[in-house]
């Protein structure tokens, strides 16, 4: 095996046009070190994108490790993220949290209730974004399985009124990585930060990194009172596959 790339099918909602578009999320792009710098990745990506175009998709998206690899293929940055990293030793794991706030792991939520949760997530996302990945039972299942492979789960934070946020996490040794963080109430940033610290403590982690929307990250970082490091994340890039804008020479 010289190289590989995986195209995961997703449904993307256009909330302005009130429609759902089929697309693919490209992940796991890699080439064996002995075969790099020979144009293999570029050719592999072109063929994969042509296949996706043949499926009738208008665009494709990915989360790049290095943006420069993909700009030559026509990808553009459409969503910026930032990563907040902190040492758990700087915080008390039992810091007080509003007693009405509850934490539930998706793995413990009955499967028949997943669609109701997904509908609530889609409703909140439509308030903030024109385009967003459609959540449904299958999408939640894929998210859960991905993070269970990393000894993690998907955490849902809610109170008596609504779901306040959720995040997926995985473990690498004693470092917890939090991603796909959705904060549905901007005033609940500190509360969600406390929940993350508590989960990290329960998992006996020494450090944790939170990747989230760049605009929300600054306010979220305030909840750590300066005891954290913030840096640019990988973001999301997309490429149009419309025939007048994309072709393989």
């Amino acid at each position: 095996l010289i190289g590989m790339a995986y195209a995961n099918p997703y449904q993307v909602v256009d909330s302005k046009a009130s429609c759902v578009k089929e697309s693919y999320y490209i992940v796991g792009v890699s080439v064996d070190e002995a075969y790099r710098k020979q144009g293999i990745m570029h050719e592999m990506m072109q063929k994969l994108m042509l296949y996706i175009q043949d499926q009738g998709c208008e665009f494709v998206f990915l989360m790049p490790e290095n943006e420069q690899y993909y700009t030559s293929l026509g990808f553009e940055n459409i969503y910026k993220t930032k990563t907040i990293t902190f040492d758990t030793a700087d915080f008390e794991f039992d810091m007080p949290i509003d007693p009405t706030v509850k934490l539930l792991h998706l793995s413990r939520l009955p499967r028949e209730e997943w669609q109701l949760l997904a509908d609530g997530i889609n409703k909140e996302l439509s308030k903030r974004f024109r385009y967003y990945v459609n959540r449904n039972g299958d999408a939640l299942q894929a998210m859960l399985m991905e993070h269970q492979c990393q000894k993690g789960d998907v955490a849902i934070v809610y109170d008596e009124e609504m779901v306040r946020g959720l995040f997926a996490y995985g473990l690498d040794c004693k470092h917890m990585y939090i991603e796909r963080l959705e904060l549905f109430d901007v005033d609940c940033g500190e509360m969600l930060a406390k929940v993350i610290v508590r989960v990290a403590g329960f998992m006996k982690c020494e450090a944790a990194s939170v990747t989230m929307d760049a605009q929300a990250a600054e306010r979220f970082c305030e909840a750590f009172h300066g005891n954290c490091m913030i840096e640019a994340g990988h973001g999301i890039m997309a490429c149009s596959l419309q025939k007048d804008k994309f072709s393989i020479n």
Side-chain angles (χ1 to χ4, degrees), residues 161-192:
E161 297 182 8
M162 62 178 284
V163 173
R164 297 296 179 179
L166 79 158
F167 58 89
Y169 67 90
L171 303 177
D172 184 1
C173 295
K174 293 189 176 182
H175 196 120
M176 184 168 76
Y177 293 90
I178 299 99
E179 58 183 8
R180 304 192 187 184
L181 185 147
E182 300 290 353
L183 184 61
F184 300 138
D185 185 344
V186 295
D187 295 326
C188 290
E190 182 171 356
M191 176 267 289
L192 197 57

Side-chain angles (χ1 to χ4, degrees), residues 51-150:
Y51 166 79
I52 295 173
Q53 183 188 58
D54 288 342
Q55 307 309 302
C57 297
E58 297 178 6
F59 59 91
V60 64
F61 61 103
L62 51 76
M63 185 177 291
E65 182 70 26
N66 187 329
E67 292 186 7
Q68 293 181 343
Y69 290 157
Y70 300 99
T71 52
S72 63
L73 289 161
F75 282 87
E76 298 180 1
N77 192 298
I78 61 168
Y79 180 75
K80 295 185 179 297
T81 65
K82 288 189 176 181
T83 299
I84 300 167
T85 302
F86 63 90
D87 293 330
T88 56
D90 293 333
F91 300 91
E92 297 291 338
F93 297 136
D94 59 350
M95 59 176 64
I97 298 178
D98 188 326
T100 64
V101 175
K102 306 295 182 183
L103 173 67
L104 175 66
H105 282 100
L106 182 61
S107 60
R108 298 183 180 181
L109 183 68
R111 186 66 170 78
E112 58 268 22
E113 296 182 23
W114 286 19
Q115 188 57 53
L116 182 62
L117 172 63
D119 291 342
I121 296 172
N122 289 332
K123 180 180 178 181
E124 295 301 324
L125 290 174
S126 67
K127 297 176 182 178
R128 298 170 52 202
F129 304 106
R130 173 175 177 177
Y131 298 102
Y132 60 90
V133 172
N134 184 45
R135 269 55 167 189
N136 54 33
D138 291 339
L140 293 177
Q141 177 71 30
M143 187 188 305
L144 177 61
M145 292 178 63
E146 175 185 345
H147 291 86
Q148 284 183 324
C149 291
Q150 303 167 25

Side-chain angles (χ1 to χ4, degrees), residues 6-10 23-27 52 60-63 180:
Y6 178 65
N8 194 7
Y10 272 87
S23 184
Y24 282 82
Y25 171 58
I26 297 177
V27 67
I52 295 173
V60 64
F61 61 103
L62 51 76
M63 185 177 291
R180 304 192 187 184

